[in-house]
Amino acid sequence: MDIVFDLDGTLFDTLNIHMKSLMEVGNVLCRKISTLHILKYLHGTVNQQLTEIYGDNLYKESAALYYRCFIKLLREGYVQDSICIVEFLNFLIQRSFNIHIFTARDSITSMELLNYFSICDYFKTVTCIDYGEKLTKSNMYDVFERLEQVIYVTDDISEYDFFLKQKIPVVLAGWHYKNKKFPSNIRVCKEVNDLLELSEIKLQMNL
């Protein structure tokens, strides 16, 4: 069985480092960008966000600055391993799960994140959407159509709804947001071990 993870907000809580990196890009470029302005564009891929916030003409420069800042902050410890990631992934692999990543984060900072925590080799595939939309037919085919039994794990309710409509079993990762209340009709894992129970249910039901 295959479990496909989103990266940001799912395996790691990266909102703080992401916001700091976006703000620092504005500081270096001498552009006055407010937090509210950035929050308005926190959707789509990282590169889409950079384009929408700083414009097409500054994309290359803003992307290079973002990557540099994100990596610097990552190495300074701004991303915490709050779910004991190595133990969690080993737990899944020992139970014969194949694990994958499907993320809208760019390839450069995604791989830096995985290598920083020494978990790159745990994943059968790592799909990073550097440009364009994440949830397209071609991306979906590349990741999901080749897997027989799959659960997608995300922290994004809009993604949750999308995959539900595509009839791909999906779980909302709530382990970074344990005090948050979710609608009762959404399948939420508040602890990483909850994912195993849902995976076993899926196998039994052969969804």
Side-chain angles (χ1 to χ4, degrees), residues 17 24 28 39 63 80 82 93 99 103 131 152 158 180:
I17 186 175
E24 182 59 22
V28 174
L39 289 172
Q80 301 298 312
S82 59
I93 291 170
I99 51 180
T103 179
Y131 305 102
Y152 182 62
S158 62
K180 184 176 179 178

Side-chain angles (χ1 to χ4, degrees), residues 8-161:
D8 294 292
T10 302
L11 290 180
F12 296 102
D13 184 0
T14 55
L15 181 59
N16 185 34
I17 186 175
H18 181 54
M19 291 291 294
K20 282 180 177 293
S21 299
L22 290 173
M23 292 293 290
E24 182 59 22
V25 170
N27 292 335
V28 174
L29 295 177
C30 298
R31 298 281 296 272
K32 291 183 178 181
I33 303 294
S34 69
T35 301
L36 287 177
H37 181 75
I38 288 177
L39 289 172
K40 180 181 176 182
Y41 296 104
L42 285 188
H43 56 82
T45 66
V46 168
N47 288 321
Q48 277 181 310
Q49 293 174 33
L50 287 165
T51 299
E52 291 175 351
I53 295 170
Y54 295 107
D56 287 323
N57 59 324
L58 287 175
Y59 166 70
K60 288 185 178 179
E61 190 175 356
S62 65
L65 288 168
Y66 174 87
Y67 301 155
R68 191 181 312 145
C69 184
F70 185 96
I71 291 168
K72 178 177 179 291
L73 293 173
L74 174 65
R75 293 174 179 175
E76 290 175 356
Y78 274 79
V79 179
Q80 301 298 312
D81 179 11
S82 59
I83 64 171
C84 301
I85 187 71
V86 170
E87 181 180 340
F88 173 51
L89 297 179
N90 272 323
F91 195 69
L92 293 175
I93 291 170
Q94 287 166 6
R95 283 152 183 79
S96 300
F97 290 98
N98 299 314
I99 51 180
H100 310 260
I101 283 179
F102 178 49
T103 179
R105 173 159 292 285
D106 61 276
S107 301
I108 293 173
T109 57
S110 292
M111 297 310 296
E112 190 74 25
L113 188 57
L114 298 181
N115 286 321
Y116 179 78
F117 287 98
S118 302
I119 58 173
C120 192
D121 292 340
Y122 285 82
F123 298 96
K124 291 284 185 181
T125 61
V126 176
T127 303
C128 305
I129 309 303
D130 285 282
Y131 305 102
E133 297 291 336
K134 177 181 180 181
L135 303 177
T136 65
K137 287 185 178 179
S138 60
N139 292 339
M140 296 286 289
Y141 175 80
D142 287 343
V143 177
F144 294 94
E145 291 297 320
R146 301 177 187 183
L147 306 178
E148 291 183 6
Q149 289 188 313
V150 60
I151 289 179
Y152 182 62
V153 186
T154 180
D155 72 309
D156 188 325
I157 290 181
S158 62
E159 279 196 2
Y160 181 97
D161 292 337

